[in-house]
Every structure is written in structure tokens, then in C-alpha cells.
Amino acid sequence: LTNFKMRGIGYDKYDNGNWSVIENDQAYISWVYRNLNIIADVTKAKMQTINVEQLSGYSYRNYAPYYFINTDLTYYGNYFMGENPQNYEMIIPNDDFNALLSTIDYKAKGELLKEIAERNGTQDYYDEYFGQGNEDDEKLTSVPEETKSIIENFLKQHNVIDNGNIFNYITQCTNALAANTSYTLRPGNTPDNVDVVDYFLNTNKKGYCVHYASTLALMLRSRGYPARFVVGYQVPGSKNNAGKLIVRDSNAHAWVEIYDEYLGWIPIEATPTSSEN
């Protein structure tokens, strides 16, 4: 399984150009693991065990791959901690898993999960499912009024319309960003005392993954979709002669997570260029 993301930290709070962490509790983490595990069983998705080993430097943070299940993973705040090296069991999404992922409506998602269970003969796993998560939408949809106004003007100017389908809305937003800004690793510094989003969208119009992910997260929030800014690594797709995927500092990346009542946090790519950049 290649070309996957390894999440490091998810930032829930945005204020004056800065993202910060709001600590999640252990109950929520247990809920995510349990839900993903049950959904994988219902959809008969296969698993692949991967081994994550930090080869150089020091960090008290282990990065968790998407999608992941790990029974012995310890959790502290927004940092995944454990032994080095550490094994992870990753879900390899199949057609049923992806169909569930792309279904928008919460009720329809539940009906589809039941239908899949009946078709696969996995009703016993379905019966274990215990329902909706406990994330607070208000803290995950907040945008400062000045920034929200800037975003709304940009969306209106470029004919981005929210029709209630979050994935369609994401596509419109990313297309508008790609068409009206340029990707570069050297966009220059943002001047003091200016709105970061305003400067990116309307003045400099240049940025890299941090700019695109941050802006897309705020675009989603401005329409009431729970979203947050995430940093981690984009794992390259080619193995070395020893069969390993080497993840370097240059693979550091930022993206967006959207919240799903069944699957928890779902990664969304925001950067218009290839994710290896």
C-alpha cells in the first residue's frame, strides 16, 4: 500500500492566522478505533501491517498512517506515542468501504452500512456498531468574521456554490484555488498586520501546502462543514531495494481533515500540485 498519508497533528482552532490544538479526550480516540475496526469488518476490507521506524533524529511523536487500527497504541493529546519501531494495521479500502466514505447523508450512510452487512453476511459486526461520534461542530466550524468575509467574497467572485454535497464543494474550492493562485515553495513572507488568507488569495496569490490546506479548511468551515488543518508526511510511492518506503523531512506536508459521523476524520488533499511536493 503506497501513496498514503501519515498524520502528525490536527489543529482544531484558528485565530488571527494561527492554528492551535484543542485536546481531544481518550473516549473519542477509542470511538474512532472501534468504528473503523467494525466498518472494516462489515465491508470485508483487507488489512496490511506496516512497520514504522524512526531512523534519525528524535521525536516523542509517532505518526499514524491512514487508515489505521492499533490495539496497543497509547495516546497523549494530539500526539501518537509508542515504541520505535512500531507496527500498524492499515485498512485497505475496497469498493464497499469507499462507497460508504463517499456517501454524504448521515442516514443514507447508515442504510448503506446495513445493506453492505446483509450482502456480506457480516450482520454480527454491524450489530456492534454504536452510532454517532461526539465531536463538537461549533469549535470545528468557527472562522473569524473578517476572514470569513474575505473567503465569502473569493467564493462568490469565482462562482463557487455549495449545493449540500461536501465533496462537490471541495472540488469547486480546490479548482478555484488552483486557477487563481500559484504553487511555490518560496512565496515570501507575509507582511505584519495583514490577514493571512487575504494576502494569499488577493495579493500575493502564491503559496505551498500550508497556505492551501489552511485556506480550504476555512472555506469548509465558513459553510458549516467541520474541518481542521493537519500536518504530517506524504509517503512516497516507490520502495528502495530493501522493500522500505523512506520518508524524509522533504516529505513533510499539510492537508485538511473533514469530520464524518461514522468514520471520524477523513483526509482531504488541498494542494493543487502533486502531493510529493
Side-chain angles (χ1 to χ4, degrees):
L1 181 65
T2 58
N3 287 319
F4 58 89
K5 288 174 165 53
M6 295 178 66
R7 183 180 68 189
I9 309 174
Y11 295 91
D12 303 302
K13 184 179 179 181
Y14 179 85
D15 184 42
N16 195 28
N18 295 309
W19 289 92
S20 58
V21 173
I22 299 176
E23 300 294 347
N24 292 318
D25 59 21
Q26 184 64 41
Y28 168 69
I29 300 305
S30 298
W31 171 81
V32 170
Y33 291 151
R34 179 183 169 108
N35 276 23
L36 286 175
N37 200 353
I38 292 171
I39 289 171
D41 288 333
V42 169
T43 59
K44 291 188 174 180
K46 294 181 179 180
M47 299 286 189
Q48 178 170 333
T49 300
I50 68 169
N51 179 275
V52 177
E53 179 179 3
Q54 185 168 302
L55 300 178
S56 63
Y58 171 77
S59 173
Y60 58 90
R61 178 167 63 246
N62 274 357
Y63 289 83
Y66 290 94
Y67 291 94
F68 59 91
I69 295 174
N70 191 328
T71 56
D72 61 0
L73 181 67
T74 57
Y75 188 83
Y76 172 74
N78 261 55
Y79 304 103
F80 292 87
M81 303 182 65
E83 297 178 356
N84 184 28
Q86 185 164 354
N87 290 327
Y88 293 87
E89 274 194 317
M90 290 183 68
I91 297 171
I92 305 175
N94 57 18
D95 289 344
D96 282 340
F97 192 98
N98 285 328
L100 191 68
L101 180 70
S102 60
T103 301
I104 306 300
D105 181 70
Y106 176 78
K107 183 179 179 181
K109 197 184 293 282
E111 292 172 351
L112 177 59
L113 186 63
K114 185 176 181 180
E115 175 190 319
I116 292 170
E118 292 173 350
R119 171 162 37 86
N120 287 343
T122 52
Q123 292 94 330
D124 289 345
Y125 295 119
Y126 174 82
D127 291 340
E128 292 182 42
Y129 187 78
F130 64 99
Q132 189 168 337
N134 59 355
E135 278 293 326
D136 181 359
D137 282 1
E138 185 175 348
K139 74 180 181 185
L140 297 169
T141 56
S142 63
V143 183
E145 285 301 319
E146 181 179 352
T147 303
K148 186 173 183 178
S149 177
I150 292 164
I151 287 172
E152 291 297 329
N153 287 336
F154 179 85
L155 296 176
K156 184 177 180 180
Q157 181 182 355
H158 299 291
N159 300 313
V160 176
I161 300 172
D162 177 20
N163 62 5
N165 182 318
I166 186 172
F167 294 110
N168 177 271
Y169 178 66
I170 288 170
T171 298
Q172 290 186 67
C173 289
T174 54
N175 286 345
L177 287 171
N180 295 281
T181 62
S182 300
Y183 177 89
T184 175
L185 290 173
R186 297 178 175 84
N189 295 326
T190 302
D192 295 334
N193 303 318
V194 300
D195 186 283
V196 175
V197 175
D198 187 26
Y199 185 72
F200 170 55
L201 291 179
N202 300 313
T203 303
N204 194 36
K205 299 184 179 182
K206 293 184 288 187
Y208 49 93
C209 60
V210 170
H211 300 82
Y212 287 99
S214 183
T215 303
L216 179 61
L218 295 171
M219 286 176 166
L220 286 160
R221 287 179 172 222
S222 70
R223 296 300 170 89
Y225 294 116
R228 66 182 186 177
F229 173 78
V230 178
V231 296
Y233 289 93
Q234 177 68 37
V235 180
S238 57
K239 298 178 182 179
N240 64 12
N241 293 334
K244 294 184 177 181
L245 296 169
I246 304 299
V247 183
R248 305 187 187 281
D249 285 347
S250 57
N251 297 120
H253 194 46
W255 59 92
V256 176
E257 285 183 334
I258 58 173
Y259 183 72
D260 182 273
E261 296 93 336
Y262 278 82
L263 297 169
W265 289 106
I266 298 171
I268 299 293
E269 183 56 60
T271 308
T273 57
S274 62
S275 55
E276 282 79 10
N277 288 331

